[in-house]
Every structure is written in C-alpha cells, then in structure tokens.
Amino acid sequence: MSQGAPVVGITVHAAELPSKDGYPDWRYSVSARYAAAVAEAGGVPLLVPTHPAAAGQVDAVLGALSALLVSGGGSIPGQYFLDNPDPTLRQTNPPRFDLEVELVRAAWARGMPLLGICRGHQTISEALGGAPVLNLGQVPGSRNHYQTEAHTVSTHTAEVTPGTRLAGWVGTHLRVNSFHRQVVVEPPAGWVVS
C-alpha cells in the first residue's frame, strides 16, 4: 500500500464453543492488545478470520494488507507436545493452522513483513520448514517461561544478537516477560535466531 498508514492483518483464533442456548457455534477471539499495539505504532489493524467458512481468498486478503501478524491464542494442552512423538500445531486446530500456513507462505513469497506472537511464531516457523515445537520441559537447561506475575511485569532479560535487524530496533539487552510453554526447535533454513 503506497499511501496512508500501513494495514496490518491480525489472524483471529477460531473455536467451536457453546452458544447461550447451548448449541455449538464457531466463535472468534483475539486479545484487543494486538489491535491496540498496531494502532499505537501508527498502523491500521484489520482482523483476519481463520475459519474456512468466513476466510477470504488468500491473495485478496494479502492484497489488502501491508503486513501480517500471526496471533497467539488457542490453548494447547500442557502434555500435548510430550504425548505426540511427531508434533505439529496442525493437530491442535486444523482449520486455523491450514489457513495461517497458506497466509504465511503467500506473504513470505511476496516479501511482506511477518510477525508471529506466541503460537504465531511457531506457526510461521513450521509453515516455512522449521522443526516443530517442543515443550520447554523437553529442552535441556531450559527454564520456566510461563510467569506468574502480571502481563505488564518484566521478569527476565533477553539478549539480542548484535548486528541483527532486531538489535537495531530494540538494542542488545532488554527486559521482557514470557508466557511460553513451547519453543521452536530449529528455525527455517537460512533464518537467524536473533
């Protein structure tokens, strides 16, 4: 998009939940913080449904966007990655995963900026050939990254690789919080963990 504020598509979690009358109904959910952060940064947030019945054609959706943010959300059972010898996020929500993978691959092919948060970064990695995620409990030397403090409290330091684009944006040391139970084992070929 050449004029105006960048339009950032934010994928929205879809799940079948009981309605008020007790019948199953597909519902969308995403934290309002995603849209608020995009707006605060000067962008225009646009929510992108992830259920096939309401999803737009991938090319049409991406044609309306300047960037794609693959959101987190959708609880993954704590034992899931321990109980599955060949885990994939697809097994946790096939409709959402399939659409997000299509969006990610098409956005990547276009050179469109991508950001994945929580489940979103795991989806991007898997979509582009990275090794599937594992529970932190399976990674030797890992620490618990599901903090008990409020979301607004920074609990540990993250070190950013000097010389990377991320380091140019935030520096090489910053205080962060974490609510992760899974990690990407190996990123896609050619990617740099920064």
Side-chain angles (χ1 to χ4, degrees), residues 6 86 88 104 175:
D86 189 20
T88 171
V104 165
R175 295 285 298 167

Side-chain angles (χ1 to χ4, degrees), residues 48-137:
V48 177
T50 59
H51 187 273
Q57 294 294 319
V58 168
D59 286 337
V61 170
L62 294 180
L65 305 178
S66 308
L68 179 65
L69 191 164
V70 184
S71 70
S75 179
I76 298 172
Q79 281 294 112
Y80 173 77
F81 290 101
L82 294 173
D83 295 340
N84 289 283
D86 189 20
T88 171
L89 282 173
R90 185 178 193 281
Q91 296 163 334
T92 65
N93 187 323
R96 177 183 180 178
F97 181 82
D98 291 346
L99 181 63
E100 285 181 333
V101 165
E102 279 189 69
L103 288 165
V104 165
R105 289 177 178 164
W108 182 251
R110 289 174 178 233
M112 179 179 280
L114 280 169
L115 174 64
I117 297 176
C118 200
R119 176 192 172 104
H121 92 275
Q122 298 165 356
T123 300
I124 290 172
S125 176
E126 193 170 336
L128 299 176
V133 298
L134 287 178
N135 259 6
L136 279 168

